[in-house]
Amino acid sequence: MIEIRGLRKVYDAHRRRVEAIADLTFALDAGEFVCVVGPSGCGKTTLLRCVAGLLPPTSGVVRVRGAPVTGPPPELAVVFQEYGRSLFPWLRVGDNVELPLRSQGLPREQRRALVDSALTAVGLADTHGAYPWQLSGGMQQRVAIARAVAYQPKVLLMDEPFAAVDAQTRADLEDLIRGVWQRLGVTLLFVTHDIDEAIYLGQRVIVLSAAPTVVVEDLAINLPDTRDQLATRADPRFTELRGRVYAQIQRAKAGATLRPDRARQPVRDSTRE
Amino acid sequence: MKRVGIGRAPKAPVTPRALQRVGAVLGLPVGLVTVWWFASAGSTDFYFPPLSRILAAFRDTWFGARLRDDVLPSLARLGTGYAIALVVGIAVGVAIGSSRSLRALVEPVLEFLRAIPPPVLVPIVILVAGIGDTMKVLVIASGCVWPILLNTVEGVRSVDEVLADTCRAYGIRGAARLRHLVLRAASPRIVTGARQALSIAIILMVISEMFAASSGLGFTVVQFQRGFAIPEMWSGVLLLGLMGVALSLAFRLFESRVLRWYHGVRATERADAR
């Protein structure tokens, strides 16, 4: 579904040449939920923008559904971290969720039905008439998620979507996105800086090094499919995975990045149950 | 912390607070007029007649044929010139604001043209467009277009990046993007420019009729001045002032509708900052 090979991004500006991403290679099958985690400034957002077609890579190949990405691919939705700035403040919640559908040329009845079901799916069934700035941060991010859901994408990209909400809201939203993923069967690429979140949510966790970024580890998460905030996080396997990822990231932050040729054979932990 | 207020607030009853606000708005004007009335009551100065005479002249002059022959044509020219300035200013402003290279190319010329006071251009416009209605509409439009154009450029430049990325990701392009993203995001700045342009429009309406005209509100006031019909002249000045207030109020009403979302966002930001 998503294929990234040899992705490299160099920023060339103001007499500074920054190699943000050195070499990223990994792939997502259809319907997979994969989290990408890494130290701050490791180019996670750059990676997501390259996959979303918002940023052209310096070299390397990004394919979504078999086709190379030259611009934002169809049937791909993005949820940004800054929920306040990604919703249209002059439109009510219902119109916000409906707007991408209007560009698709769907008839009005169908659009209404999609908007209603999407808002119900995120738990905001009564807020059609409110403006986004009248809602709390968590609710605004739910509206952004509803907008992505109503769009009926095949691929969903999320860029640290819960980084700017409080911890309790974050827990609710994590469970929400897992539910949405299971119901819709989308391919989900989830970027986060929160290790616990990555392990709690993903079927696989891809650990990145510091800039110039390479894949350090591609870890399969051998936790049960039904995740629960209390039970799953208390599971000894959770703690073990967490420790492993944390150690990798600490090494990455200390500058001990694996050499690119070693990174091309990512360590796959295939003890899935 | 953002509050979770969903839907519209209920209408408030007429409280002493509301009456207080009305009093605050009308208090000073009423007070000043009263002072004017009594201060000028016994005036024998030719150029500053008593307010009572001015009001009598107001009643005699402006209700009647003058309304149809002078005031309405002037207002029509004002409206036409303003509308042209809006269309041209917004269209060109969007084009310039959307293209960095075009903006760099055009900005010095715009700054130069904008700095020319419109009244100075009137004789040139007369050479080009004659002395009829076209000239007056052109003068009004040429003065009003600048605040609208420059504010539109700024508004288009200040579209939020995340919002623009969202539109790109969801495939909202072309006319839909212009309508739903660019114009709406720039609307607070455009409205600011339009408000400035309204004041300029009223001034230019009068000035365009001072040079070469045979009818119109400004023309009539100048005629009164040249003919030393002083109370009538003052009544004309009063009418111009009232017209300015009326237009301004109408504009405020329109703005409160169109920018309702913007006032809501700002109110929320102010509340959060406290």
Side-chain angles (χ1 to χ4, degrees):
Chain A
M1 201 64 164
I2 301 179
E3 190 194 333
I4 300 162
R5 247 185 314 132
L7 181 68
R8 184 161 171 265
K9 181 65 188 175
V10 177
Y11 286 109
D12 219 338
H14 301 298
R15 285 173 264 121
R16 269 186 74 217
R17 206 152 183 274
V18 177
E19 194 183 23
I21 299 178
D23 182 356
L24 288 185
T25 302
F26 61 90
L28 274 79
D29 293 330
E32 265 199 301
F33 192 147
V34 173
C35 294
V36 174
V37 71
S40 296
C42 74
K44 307 189 286 290
T45 298
T46 305
L47 161 66
L48 205 81
R49 289 174 70 88
C50 288
V51 176
L54 296 173
L55 191 64
T58 308
S59 66
V61 173
V62 179
R63 274 188 225 278
V64 171
R65 299 169 70 207
V69 168
T70 49
E75 298 193 288
L76 180 148
V78 187
V79 175
F80 295 96
Q81 177 182 350
E82 308 95 336
Y83 42 78
R85 291 166 63 188
S86 80
L87 296 174
F88 297 89
W90 45 84
L91 293 179
R92 297 178 195 272
V93 162
D95 297 322
N96 256 291
V97 176
E98 195 188 352
L99 190 61
L101 302 176
R102 289 170 72 170
S103 295
Q104 288 187 314
L106 293 174
R108 185 192 259 190
E109 287 309 314
Q110 199 179 349
R111 295 201 307 255
R112 288 283 163 80
L114 283 169
V115 167
D116 288 340
S117 74
L119 282 172
T120 313
V122 302
L124 291 179
D126 295 326
T127 57
H128 281 70
Y131 282 103
W133 36 269
Q134 291 173 318
L135 305 179
S136 68
M139 291 168 89
Q140 290 184 22
Q141 193 60 297
R142 284 175 197 255
V143 174
I145 293 171
R147 181 172 59 185
V149 166
Y151 191 65
Q152 296 181 302
K154 295 277 191 310
V155 176
L156 181 55
L157 305 178
M158 303 184 84
D159 185 6
E160 306 197 45
F162 310 145
V165 298
D166 62 274
Q168 289 177 9
T169 312
R170 193 180 313 165
D172 291 336
L173 291 173
E174 285 170 2
D175 290 329
L176 172 71
I177 201 65
R178 255 213 63 119
V180 163
W181 166 68
Q182 278 166 341
R183 208 173 356 209
L184 295 184
V186 286
T187 310
L188 222 172
L189 184 60
F190 190 103
V191 165
T192 179
H193 62 270
D194 186 334
I195 301 169
D196 291 11
E197 184 173 72
I199 296 172
Y200 180 75
L201 287 177
Q203 294 174 306
R204 274 163 59 202
V205 170
I206 294 175
V207 184
L208 301 183
S209 69
T213 312
V214 297
V215 173
V216 165
E217 187 156 14
D218 190 337
L219 200 56
I221 302 296
N222 52 355
L223 293 166
D225 275 343
T226 18
R227 311 257 169 111
D228 174 73
Q229 290 283 350
L230 286 177
T232 311
R233 289 179 192 253
D235 192 322
R237 281 176 295 184
F238 186 94
T239 317
E240 183 203 328
L241 289 164
R242 187 186 176 281
R244 188 160 170 178
V245 173
Y246 185 78
Q248 289 280 22
I249 293 194
Q250 289 302 100
R251 289 223 319 270
K253 285 204 296 208
T257 41
L258 294 180
R259 283 186 5 256
D261 51 283
R262 280 190 66 190
R264 281 208 190 95
Q265 294 124 47
V267 179
R268 251 187 186 263
D269 182 350
S270 51
T271 55
R272 267 192 177 190
E273 274 158 34
Chain B
M1 188 68 86
K2 286 203 167 39
R3 77 207 56 55
V4 184
I6 296 169
R8 291 177 173 78
K11 274 196 157 28
V14 178
T15 54
R17 187 108 180 274
L19 289 174
Q20 209 176 21
R21 280 178 60 191
V22 171
V25 167
L26 291 181
L28 187 61
V30 168
L32 285 175
V33 169
T34 316
V35 167
W36 185 6
W37 181 281
F38 288 107
S40 68
S43 168
T44 51
D45 188 335
F46 182 67
Y47 293 102
F48 296 98
L51 181 56
S52 49
R53 278 192 65 197
I54 295 174
L55 291 179
F58 192 100
R59 188 195 58 223
D60 294 334
T61 317
W62 299 109
F63 299 101
R66 275 244 162 72
L67 195 65
R68 191 190 61 232
D69 296 332
D70 288 316
V71 177
L72 289 181
S74 277
L75 284 176
R77 289 190 285 262
L78 173 74
T80 313
Y82 190 70
I84 293 174
L86 273 177
V87 169
V88 171
I90 294 176
V92 175
V94 167
I96 295 178
S98 308
S99 157
R100 197 181 308 167
S101 48
L102 187 59
R103 198 167 60 237
L105 190 69
V106 160
E107 208 149 52
V109 178
L110 285 182
E111 287 296 318
F112 174 77
L113 289 175
R114 177 185 65 140
I116 301 176
V120 160
L121 287 178
V122 173
I124 301 172
V125 177
I126 291 179
L127 284 175
V128 168
I131 59 170
D133 279 347
T134 319
M135 179 272 284
K136 302 183 182 75
V137 168
L138 260 177
V139 167
I140 294 172
S142 69
C144 291
V145 76
W146 299 113
I148 298 172
L149 194 153
L150 293 167
N151 274 285
T152 305
V153 169
E154 280 309 303
V156 168
R157 282 179 70 189
S158 70
V159 169
D160 191 302
E161 271 180 357
V162 177
L163 215 46
D165 280 342
T166 303
C167 283
R168 278 174 70 195
Y170 282 114
I172 301 173
R173 282 182 291 268
R177 184 176 181 273
L178 184 69
R179 185 177 149 206
H180 292 294
L181 176 68
V182 176
L183 286 176
R184 299 301 306 259
S187 56
R189 292 301 302 256
I190 297 177
V191 164
T192 303
R195 200 184 316 123
Q196 293 172 10
L198 190 60
S199 324
I200 295 175
I202 298 172
I203 295 171
L204 288 179
M205 177 193 79
V206 173
I207 290 179
S208 67
E209 293 166 2
M210 285 171 76
F211 285 77
S214 55
S215 73
L217 183 44
F219 168 76
T220 313
V221 173
V222 169
Q223 287 294 89
F224 286 150
Q225 181 214 353
R226 289 181 185 149
F228 294 98
I230 301 300
E232 285 77 7
M233 180 198 80
W234 279 111
S235 75
V237 169
L238 211 58
L239 179 63
L240 280 169
L242 288 173
M243 208 176 77
V245 170
L247 285 173
S248 178
L249 279 177
F251 191 89
R252 286 259 293 268
L253 201 66
F254 167 76
E255 180 193 347
S256 68
R257 289 282 183 80
V258 167
L259 291 190
R260 195 164 158 258
W261 61 270
Y262 184 65
H263 297 313
V265 172
R266 295 292 302 280
T268 312
E269 282 171 7
R270 277 197 296 272
D272 284 346
R274 250 181 257 133

